[in-house]
Amino acid sequence: FFFLMIRRPPRSTQSRSSAASDVYKRQGMASTFGRPKGAYKPATAEFQRSHTGKMGSNELPQPKRFSYDDSRRPPIPSRDQPPLYGLHTNKNFVVLNAVENILAAPKVIKKETPATEKADYGCVPKYLQRIKDQINEEYESIRAMHQKEEEEEEQKRYELSSEEVEKLREGLQKKWEAVNQEYQKITHISKVDTQELRRRKEECERQLTQLEKDIASLSKPHIFVDATR
């Protein structure tokens, strides 16, 4: 019996140049409908070998002496340093303050201008005038719209000419004759004993009455038509 031992390559990272070239290669492969078969397998020959890379320098930087800048505060007095006693001055602060206030220039008090002396006194503010103009424009637009509607309604009211009145009268007269003829047929029946005959008779009477009223209204000298109703 014998055993075959396969040794795996050592794991390590790729160098920057090889990694960049690999990215460009893969981008070129993926620019088509996919990478070719077998392109997804890692290229083990391009792996970096052990003990072949370059690490950073093992030398540490030279130490530098720390130094303060010029913005340091004064040192704290030591324990053995005695305090200063007996400090006094001949300066009279009360007199000095009084002299300074007396010699100082008086404070200028700004006098407020009365409202009656201002330039815009008694004038309407601009924003109120602007609102008033807007309201007037809305009123004008509404007034124009109502006027237009009234003009359209006036155009729908007109007077009929004599020829039109005569045609209407002839048409109503023919309608009256046709309804009267049907009514006369119903009245010649000796006995109106069915509901349908009674209904037809009442309908003819109603139509004849309305037609007579319409014919009488057309006998006036001026006939106006209102199409808005």
Side-chain angles (χ1 to χ4, degrees), residues 54-102:
K54 291 183 180 180
M55 300 293 292
S57 177
N58 294 330
E59 297 179 359
L60 296 176
Q62 294 295 333
K64 295 181 180 179
R65 185 179 181 81
F66 180 77
S67 60
Y68 290 99
D69 52 5
D70 297 336
S71 61
R72 290 185 297 175
R73 295 181 180 180
I76 300 174
S78 63
R79 180 186 294 181
D80 301 333
Q81 184 177 358
L84 299 176
Y85 296 105
L87 294 177
H88 64 280
T89 179
N90 297 327
K91 187 176 182 180
N92 192 343
F93 291 96
V94 176
V95 176
L96 181 61
N97 292 337
V99 171
E100 288 180 358
N101 292 327
I102 292 171

Side-chain angles (χ1 to χ4, degrees), residues 80-223:
D80 301 333
Q81 184 177 358
L84 299 176
Y85 296 105
L87 294 177
H88 64 280
T89 179
N90 297 327
K91 187 176 182 180
N92 192 343
F93 291 96
V94 176
V95 176
L96 181 61
N97 292 337
V99 171
E100 288 180 358
N101 292 327
I102 292 171
L103 298 178
K107 186 177 180 180
V108 179
I109 300 175
K110 187 178 181 181
K111 185 179 180 181
E112 295 184 359
T113 305
T116 55
E117 297 179 2
K118 292 184 178 180
D120 56 350
Y121 175 73
C123 300
V124 180
K126 293 183 180 180
Y127 73 95
L128 290 179
Q129 187 66 31
R130 184 170 61 254
I131 294 173
K132 185 178 180 180
D133 296 340
Q134 293 177 358
I135 294 173
N136 292 334
E137 289 178 1
E138 292 179 0
Y139 282 155
E140 289 295 333
S141 61
I142 293 172
R143 193 180 296 107
M145 183 175 62
H146 289 334
Q147 185 176 1
K148 186 177 180 180
E149 291 178 355
E150 292 177 358
E151 291 177 357
E152 291 178 355
E153 291 180 358
E154 288 294 334
Q155 292 177 359
K156 294 179 181 178
R157 300 187 185 95
Y158 55 93
E159 183 180 1
L160 292 177
S161 60
S162 58
E163 293 82 2
E164 293 175 345
V165 173
E166 188 64 29
K167 288 182 181 179
L168 284 175
R169 190 182 291 109
E170 291 177 359
L172 291 175
Q173 188 67 31
K174 290 180 181 179
K175 182 69 179 296
W176 184 88
E177 292 175 357
V179 175
N180 186 36
Q181 185 177 0
E182 184 179 357
Y183 180 72
Q184 294 296 332
K185 291 179 182 179
I186 297 173
T187 55
H188 285 306
I189 299 174
S190 59
K191 187 177 181 181
V192 181
D193 55 352
T194 62
Q195 188 70 19
E196 179 64 23
L197 288 175
R198 191 178 295 108
R199 186 188 63 79
R200 287 172 58 190
K201 182 180 178 183
E202 292 176 356
E203 182 66 21
C204 289
E205 291 175 353
R206 187 187 65 78
Q207 291 184 7
L208 288 173
T209 304
Q210 185 64 36
L211 288 171
E212 289 173 359
K213 290 181 180 180
D214 295 340
I215 292 171
S217 62
L218 291 177
S219 61
K220 296 179 181 180
H222 301 284
I223 306 298

